[in-house]
Amino acid sequence: MKSIRSRIERTLIAAALIPIALIALYVYLSTHQTLTNSGIESSNRQVELLASSVEGTLAHVPGDLFYLRDSNSMHHYGRALVINDAKAKEEYGRSIARDFLSIVKNRRIYNQIRFIGADGKELIRVEHNEKEGNSRILQSELLQDKSQSIHFNNTAKLNFGDYYISPIDLNREAGEIEKPIRPTIRFATPIFAVGERFVGEIILNVDADAFLSMVRNANNTQGLSFALSDVDGYLMENQNPVLNWGSSLNLSHGGNLKQLISANVVQQITESQNLTTLESDDKLITARPLFAAAGQQQPMGYLVAFAEKSTVLKLLDHFLIAFAIFFVLSVIVAVIVARVLSSTMTAPLIYLTQAADRLSKGDMNTEIQIKSGDEIQSLAEAFERLRESVKLLMKLG
């Protein structure tokens, strides 16, 4: 048979520990949510800052393109091409080449600036190597035929005032990928002269490493790792360089965001036009489309930040350890308090039980007395009256 004392002890222990456990669960869940939200906010902030820096690198490129298009030298050069004035072509061609050279030296983000004639052949080409710190105007024998270039042909279809932005890819010369690789994004606009006569186009080859290096250098900032993919999810920059440039237009090894996160998450990223926050089993993921110029509808790629949940929620480990210690101490204290209280509550009942046992055995001389000031005292007084009555009856009998 279970004793009243043991039942009281279990009830008191449960009454003490259940609220503690419920409060701990609430604190754990709220802390988990707070840390998750804090991680998301931090990641969003870092992605926006980095995205702004990347886009800022390209912000002045359309302006440079239109400056060259609208220059006096370009106006006269276009006219000379129409009328086939060899002397004017030579004179204004040199002037344009100097303008190209000045821009590549001062901007320091252009690998090449070219003027390509209406037939697709390069007429003026300036090259710049930022790592080596040199620039040059190419001699005519080094100029190439770009009539089959997708960039040339797409630009040739545009109207005056429009410009073309290429995907970011690895630059090719004579049909072969340059070694070492040179990531490039191109801005181009058609040139018209003597009315609406198409005479060629200007193409600015931007060294994409000018902003890819920003993504590379930002890795492990505040526990974040970054990746930049193209619009199809193929990686251009991430912590594992082996996966970069995996599309069929580049190195064709297939390196894709799907090798870092699930295909479903990649699809959500590539379908988004705004800052997006997603979760996988072990990561918080923030992604934002990047645009090469203001007003563009098609992004040039997606900037993706990864935060390991184990890092974001690291504080919870300390909470769990502290709670475990607190809970063990609470159990010890609850057991001690429960035993003291149960002993205090059941002692009078034990005393009455013993007194009733004595009465049943004929002991009418031991006074029954409890001073608890409660119902048990009233019960003890009733027992005492019973003892006195039985004792009196025994004397009379």
Side-chain angles (χ1 to χ4, degrees):
M1 182 183 293
K2 295 181 179 179
S3 67
I4 293 176
R5 179 174 179 175
S6 65
R7 290 201 295 270
I8 291 174
E9 286 180 359
R10 286 195 295 271
T11 302
L12 291 174
I13 291 171
L17 297 183
I18 289 176
I20 292 175
L22 292 175
I23 291 171
L25 178 62
Y26 171 78
V27 172
Y28 175 84
L29 294 176
S30 61
T31 302
H32 184 284
Q33 190 61 50
T34 299
L35 291 175
T36 300
N37 291 342
S38 177
I40 290 172
E41 289 175 7
S42 176
S43 181
N44 289 354
R45 205 162 43 243
Q46 293 300 318
V47 167
E48 282 289 5
L49 286 172
L50 183 55
S52 296
S53 297
V54 169
E55 291 174 342
T57 305
L58 301 172
H60 60 266
V61 177
D64 289 346
L65 188 66
F66 293 147
Y67 167 78
L68 293 171
R69 181 200 66 186
D70 296 336
S71 69
N72 188 57
S73 296
M74 188 62 68
H75 171 74
H76 288 291
Y77 186 68
R79 184 175 181 279
L81 288 172
V82 172
I83 64 175
N84 197 24
D85 184 337
K87 181 178 179 181
K89 284 194 290 186
E90 178 70 20
E91 177 185 352
Y92 291 111
R94 285 198 303 269
S95 177
I96 290 170
R98 287 193 297 269
D99 288 343
F100 286 3
L101 195 61
S102 175
I103 286 182
V104 297
K105 284 181 177 179
N106 288 287
R107 289 298 192 189
R108 301 172 61 181
I109 67 166
Y110 299 118
N111 289 327
Q112 300 173 3
I113 300 182
R114 294 170 290 165
F115 182 90
I116 300 178
D119 60 357
K121 294 179 181 178
E122 292 178 337
L123 298 178
I124 304 170
R125 174 168 169 169
V126 171
E127 292 186 346
H128 175 75
N129 189 315
E130 180 61 22
K131 292 181 180 178
E132 296 179 5
N134 58 57
S135 306
R136 64 172 181 160
I137 301 171
L138 265 67
Q139 300 300 314
S140 58
E141 61 269 18
L142 297 177
L143 299 178
Q144 301 178 26
D145 185 342
K146 295 293 184 178
S147 58
Q148 301 305 310
S149 165
I150 188 172
H151 314 304
F152 170 79
N153 288 302
N154 283 338
T155 305
K157 299 173 185 177
L158 300 178
N159 297 317
F160 179 81
D162 295 336
Y163 62 97
Y164 164 78
I165 302 176
S166 77
I168 305 169
D169 60 13
L170 300 180
N171 193 52
R172 293 174 181 264
E173 294 296 340
E176 298 295 327
I177 294 176
E178 276 192 282
K179 301 291 183 174
I181 61 172
R182 183 180 288 188
T184 303
I185 180 171
R186 301 158 194 84
F187 288 66
T189 193
I191 303 298
F192 298 91
V194 188
E196 297 183 358
R197 177 94 173 257
F198 173 65
V199 296
E201 53 192 59
I202 302 172
I203 299 182
L204 308 183
N205 282 25
V206 179
D207 181 2
D209 202 53
F211 53 83
L212 291 175
S213 61
M214 294 179 179
V215 179
R216 191 180 310 130
N217 296 334
N219 272 313
N220 298 317
T221 300
Q222 296 187 6
L224 294 174
S225 60
F226 292 90
L228 180 60
S229 80
D230 65 16
V231 292
D232 297 315
Y234 288 102
L235 290 162
M236 296 183 285
E237 184 61 52
N238 82 114
Q239 283 191 305
N240 183 2
V242 174
L243 299 178
N244 293 339
W245 308 110
S247 74
S248 59
L249 297 176
N250 293 298
L251 301 181
S252 300
H253 54 64
N256 196 286
L257 275 172
K258 294 176 184 177
Q259 292 172 256
L260 304 180
I261 48 180
S262 71
N264 178 55
V265 173
V266 173
Q267 182 179 359
Q268 292 181 68
I269 289 172
T270 55
E271 290 178 351
S272 173
Q273 292 296 307
N274 300 293
L275 185 71
T276 304
T277 302
L278 305 163
E279 287 191 43
S280 65
D281 292 338
D282 58 346
K283 293 181 178 68
L284 295 177
I285 302 163
T286 302
R288 181 187 182 284
L290 294 177
F291 296 92
Q296 293 292 307
Q297 299 300 313
Q298 177 71 14
M300 65 176 178
Y302 296 91
L303 179 63
V304 186
F306 307 95
E308 297 292 335
K309 284 185 178 179
S310 59
T311 301
V312 173
L313 302 176
K314 190 173 183 179
L315 186 61
L316 279 179
D317 296 337
H318 302 297
F319 169 81
L320 290 173
I321 293 171
F323 173 71
I325 295 172
F326 174 74
F327 191 76
V328 169
L329 292 176
S330 298
V331 170
I332 293 172
V333 171
V335 168
I336 293 173
V337 172
R339 288 191 172 182
V340 171
L341 289 175
S342 66
S343 177
T344 302
M345 295 170 65
T346 59
L349 295 176
I350 294 172
Y351 173 81
L352 286 176
T353 301
Q354 293 171 346
D357 186 59
R358 289 195 300 272
L359 285 176
S360 68
K361 295 178 180 178
D363 183 0
M364 302 298 163
N365 297 316
T366 303
E367 184 180 359
I368 300 172
Q369 188 175 24
I370 293 177
K371 300 295 184 182
S372 60
D374 54 19
E375 290 84 351
I376 295 178
Q377 180 177 333
S378 299
L379 181 59
E381 290 172 351
F383 265 98
E384 177 60 18
R385 289 194 296 273
L386 177 60
R387 184 188 70 82
E388 291 289 349
S389 299
V390 173
K391 184 178 179 180
L392 180 60
L393 288 172
M394 290 177 68
K395 286 182 179 182
L396 293 176

